[in-house]
Amino acid sequence: MMMVSDGKLGAYVVESKGGAIACITLSLLCLGTWPALLALLERRGRLPQHTYLDYSITNFSAAIFIAFVFGQIGESTPEAQSFITQLTQIQDNWPSVLFALAGGVGLSIGNLATQYALAFVGLSVTEVTTASITVVIGTSVNYFLDNKLNRADVLFSGVGCFLVAVCLGSAVHSSNSADVVAKLGNFSGDCKNVSQEECQRLLGGEEEEMESVKEGTATFLIALENKRAIKVLGKSMFVGLSMTFFAGLCFSLFSPLFNLATNDQLHTLEPGVPKLIVYTAFFYFSLSCFLIAIALNVTFLYRPVIDSPRSSFKGYLHDWNGRGWALLAGLVCGFGNGLQFMGGQAAGYAAADAVQALPLVSTFWGIYLFGEYRRSSPRTYALLVGMLAMFAVAVGLLMASAGKRETR
């Protein structure tokens, strides 16, 4: 369970292994859900720049809430400081603050790349690949930063399962791309050759709603292409995979950097300076994530990437279509990140990387909400099942490897 020590502690502390696993499990559900909300809005035609700006606002708001509520419980003492106290001591703890800020930059850029990769590669494969790269690199680094807190034989067996899942995920995308080409037939060329009139002809001459079209059919794929914000038909499969691998590399950095911010394994703090509590580090982490996201997406409003439509800040302010879902995605992700770090501080950040099994949740949403892989080939289904099986084994192994960090 989660414990709050008596008045000697100035922050809410997860002390037990059970409490840590509970935090990690809740984080897994949250972090597997927010990408589905972003993908839903893109498929409905909302510009990704608009969505990510809304997402960033509530994502940072969640970090502020966590820091001020959980970081201010109890009295602040020299040995166990509160969030506000540590904010006023940046002249002493700035090396750890820099690690937290750097971690936020990695997460922000990774999330941004993920948003575009989701359109090209789909929820399941995007999340599988980014999570696997995160585990293979980030978890390995965290294991050594945590002074081998986790059981190596169990932990690296899980890492091996994630590595297999990367290969299977790439194979799923390749097989599914071939299925799409086969479904589209003569319409598998550049999406610009598929006009709105042609789409209406395929739909029987009427502007039917997407819900009335059978998922997985050529009619559905072309209707979706005409409606979505990012056009993907006819684009090379390597475009999406490249963005996915780049996002995975960014994600693999943020957890080790956060680990360094809260535990000071490199001894960058002066003797006697308290280490950053999770909530202070999370605040700085989310601050840099927010600033980078705002700067990049405001730029992309006027200079879009991947052939997205141009917009403006005024256009963003007036776009209320789906804003509620975007704001909800930011809150879900923000609380998911906070729970991950709270659990990692107690059980070890390598074990907390079990949340990278979030594709199990994302795949459920992808199949349930978007009909991903409907009417695909038996080969694609077999590869998809194999990929998810590797993830199920991997998350079990990572959780089983959890140790218990000394909190005193």
Side-chain angles (χ1 to χ4, degrees), residues 35-371:
L37 296 176
L38 265 60
L40 174 67
L41 293 175
E42 184 277 323
R43 291 164 73 98
R44 289 182 174 180
R46 194 168 198 250
L47 294 183
Q49 306 96 307
H50 294 184
T51 297
Y52 204 81
L53 285 169
D54 288 334
Y55 157 91
S56 300
I57 294 170
T58 49
N59 184 264
F60 185 46
S61 299
I64 295 174
F65 176 84
I66 290 173
F68 276 96
V69 173
F70 295 103
Q72 286 296 116
I73 294 178
E75 297 179 6
S76 180
T77 67
E79 295 77 20
Q81 297 180 328
S82 67
F83 165 65
I84 295 295
T85 300
Q86 289 198 330
L87 279 186
T88 64
Q89 297 177 347
I90 192 170
Q91 72 278 5
D92 298 322
N93 56 33
W94 64 267
S96 293
V97 170
L98 289 180
F99 282 123
L101 292 171
V105 171
L107 179 66
S108 184
I109 296 175
N111 280 343
L112 188 59
T114 295
Q115 181 176 237
Y116 288 93
L118 288 172
F120 285 87
V121 186
L123 262 174
S124 302
V125 175
T126 298
E127 297 303 316
V128 163
T129 306
T130 56
S132 298
I133 294 172
T134 301
V135 169
V136 171
I137 300 176
T139 300
S140 300
V141 173
N142 275 328
Y143 171 72
F144 292 102
L145 288 177
D146 282 336
N147 196 26
K148 303 180 181 179
L149 179 65
N150 306 92
R151 291 180 54 190
D153 55 339
V154 179
L155 177 67
F156 288 105
S157 295
V159 170
C161 290
F162 275 105
L163 204 54
V164 173
V166 171
C167 301
L168 290 174
S170 298
V172 169
H173 179 53
S174 176
S175 180
N176 192 57
S177 296
D179 293 342
V180 170
V181 171
K183 291 173 187 176
L184 292 176
N186 294 331
F187 300 101
S188 61
D190 193 318
C191 64
K192 294 179 181 178
N193 295 327
V194 183
S195 64
Q196 184 66 36
E197 291 74 18
E198 187 65 24
C199 175
Q200 291 180 23
R201 186 188 69 77
L202 286 169
L203 293 171
E206 299 178 359
E207 289 192 27
E208 301 184 40
E209 294 295 327
M210 290 290 295
E211 289 77 7
S212 66
V213 183
K214 290 184 178 181
E215 295 170 333
T217 62
T219 303
F220 177 85
L221 293 172
I222 296 178
L224 174 61
E225 181 73 4
N226 278 272
K227 188 173 185 179
R228 71 187 318 160
I230 303 174
K231 308 304 180 184
V232 300
L233 292 184
K235 301 289 180 63
S236 171
M237 61 174 281
F238 294 106
V239 174
L241 285 178
S242 297
M243 288 187 290
T244 304
F245 276 95
F246 175 73
L249 290 173
C250 292
F251 288 150
S252 68
L253 298 176
F254 83 82
S255 182
L257 287 167
F258 193 93
N259 194 349
L260 286 168
T262 54
N263 294 301
D264 192 36
Q265 292 93 334
L266 299 183
H267 307 292
T268 56
L269 296 177
E270 293 293 332
V273 176
K275 299 173 184 177
L276 290 187
I277 61 173
V278 169
Y279 309 105
T280 307
F282 186 46
F283 171 80
Y284 284 117
F285 172 92
S286 300
L287 174 62
S288 64
C289 187
F290 172 73
L291 294 176
I292 291 294
I294 296 298
L296 289 177
N297 280 280
V298 169
T299 300
F300 291 161
L301 287 175
Y302 300 93
R303 299 190 179 192
V305 295
I306 319 295
D307 296 327
S308 298
R310 291 188 63 180
S311 183
S312 63
F313 194 72
K314 182 179 179 180
Y316 157 69
L317 293 177
H318 287 86
D319 181 12
W320 287 90
N321 181 28
R323 174 158 285 166
W325 289 113
L327 295 173
L328 177 62
L331 282 176
V332 171
C333 182
F335 282 105
N337 284 331
L339 288 167
Q340 177 188 0
F341 296 139
M342 290 166 68
Q345 186 65 10
Y349 286 96
D353 282 340
V355 300
Q356 298 306 328
L358 57 90
L360 294 173
V361 179
S362 294
T363 298
F364 168 78
W365 291 122
I367 294 173
Y368 178 74
L369 287 178
F370 309 137

